Amino acid sequence: MGTNFHLPSTLEQFQQQFPTEETCIDFFFSTKWPSGFSCPHCGHSHAYITSTRRLPLYECLQCHHQTSLTAGTIMAGSRTSLHKWLTAIFLISRTEQGTNAVALSKIISVTYKTAWLILHKIRHAISTADQRTLLSGIVQVNSAVYGKPYNPYYRNHPQEHYLLAGSSLSIQGEPSYIKLKLVPKIHVKKSFFNAPRHWISPNNI
């Protein structure tokens, strides 16, 4: 279970690399315990494995604490398979177009309500992780506009949303971590409208 995985770049490659629930279980095990099982309660490295459940249950040989692959994650308590969860995570994190609940429900064969809940949990986890990560080193910040239609001479279109785009720069001057934050219109001053701005297409986010 210590296999090294290389995440694919297309959905077709993903489906070839993770064709079954078993391959996803191996991937999540290697991700959660890259050095082998470690009891979250006492740190012991050996466990009984109950494989009669939908997902394996691990019981520590030393303290008898029971845990699973999804314990402490956004997937905890979910009846949706790991394969469908991993597909959703892949579509959000690895594709330029992103996805929505309608498209996701068709791709992984779940109801719209389930797809919406999965997306909501993934996006919330991403947002929480992003809030904990601060830009550091040399930081560049610029104003930008998101939305359609874009008209550089019409400064306050109702479909335009104002952003601050910030980036940490590497020693070579290349962006190493980028953050985009919406700026509520009540906080936007007139000088913002007149300042040079970049327009960000919805297809580029």
Side-chain angles (χ1 to χ4, degrees):
M1 283 193 253
T3 305
N4 291 323
F5 291 93
H6 300 283
L7 290 179
S9 57
T10 67
L11 181 58
E12 182 179 1
Q13 292 174 356
F14 170 86
Q15 292 171 337
Q16 291 175 351
Q17 187 165 339
F18 300 100
T20 65
E21 182 75 350
E22 287 69 28
T23 56
C24 293
I25 288 174
D26 287 348
F27 172 75
F28 276 99
F29 185 96
S30 297
T31 301
K32 186 166 187 173
W33 296 305
S35 300
F37 174 80
S38 177
C39 176
H41 186 259
C42 71
H44 192 66
S45 59
H46 294 87
Y48 296 108
I49 302 176
T50 303
S51 56
T52 54
R53 299 159 51 97
R54 184 178 65 84
L55 292 177
L57 183 68
Y58 303 88
E59 181 177 336
C60 176
L61 266 67
Q62 180 164 283
C63 71
H64 302 290
H65 176 80
Q66 293 182 335
T67 188
S68 69
L69 295 176
T70 60
T73 73
I74 58 175
M75 298 169 288
S78 173
R79 296 180 180 178
T80 304
S81 70
L82 290 185
H83 186 268
K84 294 181 178 182
W85 269 102
L86 191 57
T87 303
I89 294 171
F90 168 80
L91 289 172
I92 290 180
S93 63
R94 302 291 291 186
T95 58
E96 294 181 357
Q97 295 83 3
T99 189
N100 56 45
V102 174
L104 181 63
S105 66
K106 295 178 181 178
I107 294 173
I108 65 175
S109 300
V110 297
T111 64
Y112 171 84
K113 181 179 179 180
T114 298
W116 182 92
L117 183 60
I118 288 174
L119 288 179
H120 175 75
K121 287 186 174 183
I122 294 173
R123 287 167 178 161
H124 178 72
I126 292 173
S127 176
T128 301
D130 181 62
Q131 290 174 8
R132 294 172 180 170
T133 305
L134 301 179
L135 297 178
S136 59
I138 300 175
V139 177
Q140 257 186 0
V141 180
N142 209 338
S143 56
V145 174
Y146 169 84
K148 291 183 177 180
Y150 172 66
N151 184 343
Y153 303 104
Y154 192 88
R155 298 299 188 185
N156 193 22
H157 194 284
Q159 293 185 19
E160 288 186 349
H161 304 280
Y162 303 100
L163 304 171
L164 286 178
S167 173
S168 292
L169 301 181
S170 65
I171 298 176
Q172 293 76 24
E174 297 293 329
S176 59
Y177 195 93
I178 297 174
K179 287 194 174 200
L180 297 176
K181 297 297 180 183
L182 280 172
V183 180
K185 291 185 178 181
I186 59 173
H187 297 312
V188 177
K189 297 182 179 180
K190 290 183 179 180
S191 57
F192 183 92
F193 300 106
N194 298 322
R197 298 177 296 160
H198 299 281
W199 182 64
I200 299 178
S201 165
N203 294 327
N204 294 334
I205 294 184

